[in-house]
Amino acid sequence: MTGMIVRRLLSAVGVLLLASIVIFTVIAVSGDPLADLRDRQPPVPPAVIQAEEARLGLDQPLHERYLSWIGGLFQGDLGPSTIATRDIGAELTSRIGVTLRLVVVAVVIALILALIAGTISGLRQRRFPDVVLTPMTFVMLALPSFWMAVLFKQWGIYFNEQVGESVFATVGANSVPPPQGFVPFLLDSAAHLVLPTLVLTLVHFATWSRYQRTAIAESLAGDHVRFAVLKGLSRGRVVRSYVVRPALVPIITVVALDLPVLLSGAVITETVFQWRGMGGFLLESINLRDSNAVLAWLLIAAFAVVVFNLIADLLYAIVDPRVRYGN
């Protein structure tokens, strides 16, 4: 187990290094960060443009820019912004907390619901409640996340107008100004989480529950289940140890691979509900042509994907004893 963890960590470092090279190259050739400055009317003096190029390191060859950027990362420096007063690291740090709050809660709720619904549907195929859950998940799969976000926001606004109270918070991650005290602040944050979390949860619950249902159905048809039944094991033990446990491996893989989709869904959801999270940070950085800010966002996303896949690899060995990475 220890050897497997060390190998996976080394592999993750290599993947991150390769991802940093690809991301940096793609962003470097995708456009000129100073295009707005060059096109400004009346024209900006050439000396000002040269000074900006030197500040952003654009006057250096591509490989030197990469080495300077990657060296700065190890010192906690994410590089200069096109906006001289913008601190990319400080702003991104505050935004990550907002997005993590939304994504983590949505992942946990969606995963628990998907495991329960998918397992029940798989064990009771073409019977109640499978005949209810299956069409419901297909409907959710057909609904795009941006449409669901707008729909839920409008429903929240309509409900608030009908009852004359702000039951559902539809704008921002917290009230402005935020309430004083830990408990009022916690309750205010939870109220703002309801609708955005519901959107992300429903989108991913539908996909993951279908995978779990299929995995349960395949597991039920396995020879190891027939052998367990012939041994006279109780139904509960057969289902728990020989059906559900092996069926967890596919859902672990799907959840780990869905992380980029989850982050992209969070970008849309944050935009609709006007959260100042990583989604808003990315869109603002693209509008400002802030290449180092976009680089930082993409690198964090790549890091999160690698970490989630590393956790998935470790869970394989825990969930399924047939997996032997060490031999």
Side-chain angles (χ1 to χ4, degrees), residues 135-144 148 202-203 205-206:
M136 187 177 72
T137 52
F138 279 131
V139 171
M140 291 180 190
L141 284 171
L143 301 179
M148 288 183 68
L202 292 180
V203 170
F205 157 77

Side-chain angles (χ1 to χ4, degrees), residues 80-305:
S81 168
T82 52
I83 307 299
T85 56
R86 190 185 196 192
D87 187 337
I88 296 176
E91 186 174 344
L92 196 53
T93 301
S94 64
R95 301 286 190 103
I96 287 175
V98 175
T99 297
L100 280 182
R101 188 198 314 170
L102 173 62
V103 170
V104 170
V105 174
V107 167
V108 171
I109 296 175
L111 185 57
I112 293 173
L113 293 178
L115 288 175
I116 295 173
T119 301
I120 293 175
S121 289
L123 293 175
R124 301 184 63 83
Q125 298 172 47
R126 291 179 290 280
R127 289 179 292 173
F128 182 82
D130 182 43
V131 293
V132 176
L133 290 172
T134 296
M136 187 177 72
T137 52
F138 279 131
V139 171
M140 291 180 190
L141 284 171
L143 301 179
S145 59
F146 69 87
W147 187 80
M148 288 183 68
V150 173
L151 189 66
F152 276 61
K153 183 175 182 178
Q154 292 304 316
W155 281 352
I157 294 172
Y158 176 77
F159 185 85
N160 292 342
E161 290 176 348
Q162 294 302 310
V163 300
E165 296 287 343
S166 296
V167 178
F168 294 109
T170 55
V171 175
N174 286 103
S175 300
V176 179
Q180 299 298 317
F182 176 73
V183 174
F185 182 81
L186 194 64
L187 293 176
D188 182 70
S189 300
H192 284 77
L193 263 176
V194 174
L195 294 179
T197 302
L198 194 58
V199 173
L200 286 182
T201 298
L202 292 180
V203 170
H204 294 281
F205 157 77
T207 306
W208 295 346
S209 66
R210 296 305 301 167
Y211 275 104
Q212 180 65 7
R213 182 187 184 278
T214 303
I216 290 290
E218 291 178 353
S219 189
L220 278 173
D223 292 336
H224 63 289
V225 175
R226 296 193 187 93
F227 181 71
V229 173
L230 291 175
K231 281 178 64 179
L233 299 179
S234 66
R235 176 180 171 81
R237 185 176 177 186
V238 171
V239 170
R240 188 172 54 253
S241 302
Y242 293 85
V243 178
V244 175
R245 187 169 179 175
L248 293 177
V249 175
I251 195 68
I252 291 173
T253 306
V254 171
V255 172
L257 294 177
D258 261 3
L259 183 65
V261 181
L262 195 66
L263 287 176
S264 62
V267 171
I268 297 170
T269 307
E270 285 177 3
T271 303
V272 172
F273 288 95
Q274 301 175 35
W275 280 42
R276 286 185 59 79
M278 287 185 66
F281 178 87
L282 176 65
L283 296 178
E284 291 168 11
S285 301
I286 292 173
N287 288 331
L288 292 171
R289 296 177 181 269
D290 197 339
S291 56
N292 282 329
V294 177
L295 275 173
W297 192 98
L298 292 174
L299 192 66
I300 288 175
F303 178 79
V305 171

